[in-house]
Amino acid sequence: MPPYFHPRPVNGPFEDPGLFIPFLFEKRAILFDLGDLYSLSPKDILKISHVFVTHTHMDHFVGFDRLLRLLLGRDKNLFLYGPEGFFKNVEGKLAGYSWNLVQNYTNRFILVVSEVHPGYILTRQYPCRTQFKQDGQTHVTAFEGKLLDEPSLSVSTVILDHNIPCLGFCLQERFHININKTRVESMGLPMGPWLNDFKQALYQNKSPDFIFELPMLIEEKEKRFFKLGDLASEIAIISPGQKVTYITDVVFSEENIASIIRFAKDSDHLFIEASFLDKHRDIAGKKFHLTALQAGSLARKAGAKALAVFHFSPRYAGKADILEKEAMEAFYGLT
Ligand SMILES: [Zn+2]
Ligand SMILES: [Zn+2]
């Protein structure tokens, strides 16, 4: 059954952290962390609709310029989320360039930036055509864990401690719809973009009696109509949704441990930093990072189905396998 999300690390485990998550059959992706993006193609970067930044240490935010440069001429809103102080960081980046020519642009590219605080979220808009000066008021909304809530998916966050606030992120599919291709073909219907509209109708909880209209097909003179419920029982297989969790740059404190285990509970994929070997746990603690053993044991306690570790310290260059081994042994309960 093909999953809806296809998470893949942007870089190798010794390079800047980041997780690129394209969506199946859609020209859309989201990005967790904004470090060096040069290994992503422009085509992939242009798919990004939402970027979630854990914190603004350089290795997590230096990709802002490349993202902005590629999206500058586009007719879209780019949504960016980060922790307390994020406006200052974004505004500082924008202040680093001259924007005297952008008012000639005909597109309406807008940066929509949100700053996550305990209990509330602040949002500001920075339109390209006004030289990225803040447009309008700062909006305040209540924050109860979710940053993005769409019919088919949500993105949640948790505020963790890295000596500064650092966000963890979780992408959750509400439920998974698999299409029975053989059945579609035996009904004389083509595979195609109409299936996305069909899935969206299911995610929007439309009534089973809702009349779903198939677009006119090349060889047909008339549109075809189905009751949504009838079509679903013919071609859709529903299963639990995927959960992808991303945790990095966190100290191994009692509070973080409890928050991470709760937040990452039953993840299908848990991506978590493992910066140091456990024999160097004192250094890890001083730098507010996890060891591989700590990462593996957190994944085990959260009941994650799959674990991937990253953000390895350069002191282990060429020895990624020993960090992976330590994390996996803790994950499988061998230590
Ligand atoms: Zn950091
Ligand atoms: Zn880092």
Side-chain angles (χ1 to χ4, degrees), residues 57-76:
H57 280 159
M58 214 171 170
D59 50 333
H60 300 256
F61 196 51
V62 75
F64 179 90
D65 288 18
R66 176 160 164 78
L67 180 70
L68 182 64
R69 187 162 190 200
L70 282 166
L71 292 180
L72 206 51
R74 306 282 152 170
D75 232 350
K76 71 186 268 182

Side-chain angles (χ1 to χ4, degrees), residues 14-301:
F14 289 99
E15 297 162 327
D16 286 359
L19 193 65
F20 178 72
I21 313 178
F23 299 169
L24 187 69
F25 301 135
E26 289 181 47
K27 289 194 182 85
R28 182 184 173 196
I30 66 167
L31 185 66
F32 289 160
D33 264 339
L34 192 45
D36 188 319
L37 295 185
Y38 276 89
S39 49
L40 286 182
S41 67
K43 191 172 163 221
D44 275 342
I45 290 178
L46 291 173
K47 289 180 191 162
I48 296 170
S49 63
H50 294 71
V51 181
F52 302 86
V53 177
T54 57
H55 64 304
T56 50
H57 280 159
M58 214 171 170
D59 50 333
H60 300 256
F61 196 51
V62 75
F64 179 90
D65 288 18
R66 176 160 164 78
L67 180 70
L68 182 64
R69 187 162 190 200
L70 282 166
L71 292 180
L72 206 51
R74 306 282 152 170
D75 232 350
K76 71 186 268 182
N77 289 358
L78 176 72
F79 296 85
L80 284 166
Y81 302 81
E84 275 180 67
F86 195 48
F87 293 143
K88 185 167 59 70
N89 298 125
V90 171
E91 287 166 8
K93 284 275 194 189
L94 294 169
Y97 299 98
S98 303
W99 298 110
N100 59 307
L101 298 178
V102 290
Q103 63 264 38
N104 302 330
Y105 286 20
T106 51
N107 73 79
R108 44 170 300 282
F109 177 65
I110 300 174
L111 283 175
V112 184
V113 182
S114 295
E115 207 177 86
V116 180
H117 294 252
Y120 65 98
I121 298 177
L122 302 178
T123 301
R124 292 181 183 170
Q125 297 207 357
Y126 303 89
C128 176
R129 69 186 134 70
T130 58
Q131 306 188 342
F132 291 109
K133 292 201 178 69
Q134 185 188 344
D135 184 30
Q137 302 291 311
T138 302
H139 291 277
V140 189
T141 44
F143 168 56
E144 285 151 4
K146 278 190 184 166
L147 295 178
L148 182 64
D149 202 3
E150 298 184 359
S152 58
L153 61 90
S154 64
V155 175
S156 309
T157 192
V158 62
I159 303 173
L160 300 167
D161 177 24
H162 178 46
N163 201 33
I164 52 172
C166 182
L167 304 177
F169 300 116
C170 164
L171 171 64
Q172 171 91 57
E173 185 184 23
R174 256 184 69 218
F175 51 86
H176 187 70
I177 306 166
N178 193 47
I179 301 294
N180 184 337
K181 195 176 163 195
T182 318
R183 194 71 199 102
V184 172
E185 282 166 0
S186 71
M187 289 171 78
L189 303 173
M191 299 296 283
W194 69 271
L195 287 165
N196 271 340
D197 298 337
F198 164 68
K199 287 180 179 178
Q200 284 307 318
L202 294 182
Y203 283 126
Q204 286 160 8
N205 293 330
K206 295 219 160 125
S207 151
D209 292 328
F210 172 78
I211 301 299
F212 184 79
E213 181 183 309
L214 253 74
M216 204 179 299
L217 308 173
I218 297 164
E219 290 168 14
E220 295 193 16
K221 294 196 176 62
E222 291 177 9
K223 288 184 179 177
R224 293 179 64 174
F225 300 90
F226 291 92
K227 275 190 179 177
L228 184 64
D230 293 348
L231 190 57
S233 64
E234 290 286 350
I235 66 167
I237 303 159
I238 310 281
S239 56
Q242 235 182 312
K243 177 173 175 176
V244 178
T245 306
Y246 178 86
I247 304 285
T248 191
D249 294 51
V250 285
V251 67
F252 196 63
S253 65
E254 293 293 324
E255 277 189 2
N256 272 353
I257 293 168
S259 297
I260 292 166
I261 292 171
R262 200 178 326 118
F263 187 71
K265 196 88 204 132
D266 299 329
S267 295
D268 295 283
H269 298 273
L270 173 59
F271 293 83
I272 186 164
E273 70 144 311
S275 292
F276 294 89
L277 285 174
D278 206 60
K279 68 179 178 187
H280 297 135
R281 80 181 78 90
D282 290 351
I283 303 170
K286 282 189 193 119
K287 292 179 180 265
F288 306 96
H289 279 286
L290 296 178
T291 70
L293 185 142
Q294 290 164 350
S297 78
L298 285 168
R300 181 176 178 79
K301 285 181 184 145

